[in-house]
PDB file of all heavy atoms in Angstrom:
ATOM      1  N   VAL T 255      48.769  67.818  69.622  1.00  0.00           N
ATOM      2  CA  VAL T 255      49.798  67.290  68.722  1.00  0.00           C
ATOM      3  C   VAL T 255      51.115  67.084  69.475  1.00  0.00           C
ATOM      4  O   VAL T 255      51.811  66.081  69.274  1.00  0.00           O
ATOM      5  CB  VAL T 255      50.007  68.238  67.532  1.00  0.00           C
ATOM      6  CG1 VAL T 255      51.113  67.724  66.618  1.00  0.00           C
ATOM      7  CG2 VAL T 255      48.708  68.407  66.747  1.00  0.00           C
ATOM      8  N   THR T 256      51.439  68.029  70.349  1.00  0.00           N
ATOM      9  CA  THR T 256      52.679  67.922  71.124  1.00  0.00           C
ATOM     10  C   THR T 256      52.638  66.701  72.043  1.00  0.00           C
ATOM     11  O   THR T 256      53.616  65.946  72.137  1.00  0.00           O
ATOM     12  CB  THR T 256      52.899  69.196  71.952  1.00  0.00           C
ATOM     13  OG1 THR T 256      52.830  70.340  71.090  1.00  0.00           O
ATOM     14  CG2 THR T 256      54.245  69.164  72.638  1.00  0.00           C
ATOM     15  N   PHE T 257      51.514  66.501  72.703  1.00  0.00           N
ATOM     16  CA  PHE T 257      51.352  65.325  73.558  1.00  0.00           C
ATOM     17  C   PHE T 257      51.522  64.041  72.755  1.00  0.00           C
ATOM     18  O   PHE T 257      52.222  63.110  73.187  1.00  0.00           O
ATOM     19  CB  PHE T 257      49.979  65.332  74.237  1.00  0.00           C
ATOM     20  CG  PHE T 257      49.564  63.989  74.778  1.00  0.00           C
ATOM     21  CD1 PHE T 257      50.102  63.489  75.947  1.00  0.00           C
ATOM     22  CD2 PHE T 257      48.653  63.194  74.075  1.00  0.00           C
ATOM     23  CE1 PHE T 257      49.743  62.232  76.422  1.00  0.00           C
ATOM     24  CE2 PHE T 257      48.280  61.941  74.539  1.00  0.00           C
ATOM     25  CZ  PHE T 257      48.826  61.466  75.716  1.00  0.00           C
ATOM     26  N   ASP T 258      50.890  63.964  71.602  1.00  0.00           N
ATOM     27  CA  ASP T 258      50.967  62.744  70.783  1.00  0.00           C
ATOM     28  C   ASP T 258      52.413  62.439  70.405  1.00  0.00           C
ATOM     29  O   ASP T 258      52.837  61.274  70.438  1.00  0.00           O
ATOM     30  CB  ASP T 258      50.129  62.908  69.507  1.00  0.00           C
ATOM     31  CG  ASP T 258      48.631  62.821  69.769  1.00  0.00           C
ATOM     32  OD1 ASP T 258      48.253  62.327  70.851  1.00  0.00           O
ATOM     33  OD2 ASP T 258      47.850  63.264  68.903  1.00  0.00           O
ATOM     34  N   LEU T 259      53.183  63.464  70.057  1.00  0.00           N
ATOM     35  CA  LEU T 259      54.576  63.257  69.658  1.00  0.00           C
ATOM     36  C   LEU T 259      55.413  62.751  70.840  1.00  0.00           C
ATOM     37  O   LEU T 259      56.210  61.812  70.704  1.00  0.00           O
ATOM     38  CB  LEU T 259      55.168  64.541  69.106  1.00  0.00           C
ATOM     39  CG  LEU T 259      56.574  64.415  68.522  1.00  0.00           C
ATOM     40  CD1 LEU T 259      56.563  63.513  67.285  1.00  0.00           C
ATOM     41  CD2 LEU T 259      57.141  65.783  68.179  1.00  0.00           C
ATOM     42  N   ILE T 260      55.216  63.363  72.000  1.00  0.00           N
ATOM     43  CA  ILE T 260      55.964  62.920  73.191  1.00  0.00           C
ATOM     44  C   ILE T 260      55.575  61.508  73.576  1.00  0.00           C
ATOM     45  O   ILE T 260      56.429  60.682  73.929  1.00  0.00           O
ATOM     46  CB  ILE T 260      55.734  63.900  74.359  1.00  0.00           C
ATOM     47  CG1 ILE T 260      56.322  65.280  74.029  1.00  0.00           C
ATOM     48  CG2 ILE T 260      56.333  63.353  75.651  1.00  0.00           C
ATOM     49  CD1 ILE T 260      55.992  66.351  75.043  1.00  0.00           C
ATOM     50  N   ALA T 261      54.281  61.194  73.489  1.00  0.00           N
ATOM     51  CA  ALA T 261      53.830  59.839  73.820  1.00  0.00           C
ATOM     52  C   ALA T 261      54.418  58.806  72.864  1.00  0.00           C
ATOM     53  O   ALA T 261      54.780  57.692  73.281  1.00  0.00           O
ATOM     54  CB  ALA T 261      52.308  59.773  73.794  1.00  0.00           C
ATOM     55  N   ARG T 262      54.546  59.146  71.582  1.00  0.00           N
ATOM     56  CA  ARG T 262      55.177  58.232  70.631  1.00  0.00           C
ATOM     57  C   ARG T 262      56.628  58.001  71.002  1.00  0.00           C
ATOM     58  O   ARG T 262      57.119  56.868  70.958  1.00  0.00           O
ATOM     59  CB  ARG T 262      55.070  58.787  69.200  1.00  0.00           C
ATOM     60  CG  ARG T 262      53.689  58.656  68.601  1.00  0.00           C
ATOM     61  CD  ARG T 262      53.743  58.614  67.074  1.00  0.00           C
ATOM     62  NE  ARG T 262      54.352  59.804  66.489  1.00  0.00           N
ATOM     63  CZ  ARG T 262      53.699  60.917  66.210  1.00  0.00           C
ATOM     64  NH1 ARG T 262      52.413  61.021  66.501  1.00  0.00           N
ATOM     65  NH2 ARG T 262      54.314  61.938  65.655  1.00  0.00           N
ATOM     66  N   ALA T 263      57.324  59.064  71.348  1.00  0.00           N
ATOM     67  CA  ALA T 263      58.723  58.925  71.766  1.00  0.00           C
ATOM     68  C   ALA T 263      58.819  58.075  73.024  1.00  0.00           C
ATOM     69  O   ALA T 263      59.742  57.259  73.170  1.00  0.00           O
ATOM     70  CB  ALA T 263      59.338  60.299  71.993  1.00  0.00           C
TER      71      ALA T 263
END
Side-chain angles (χ1 to χ4, degrees):
V255 178
T256 307
F257 162 76
D258 286 343
L259 186 65
I260 295 173
R262 285 205 301 274

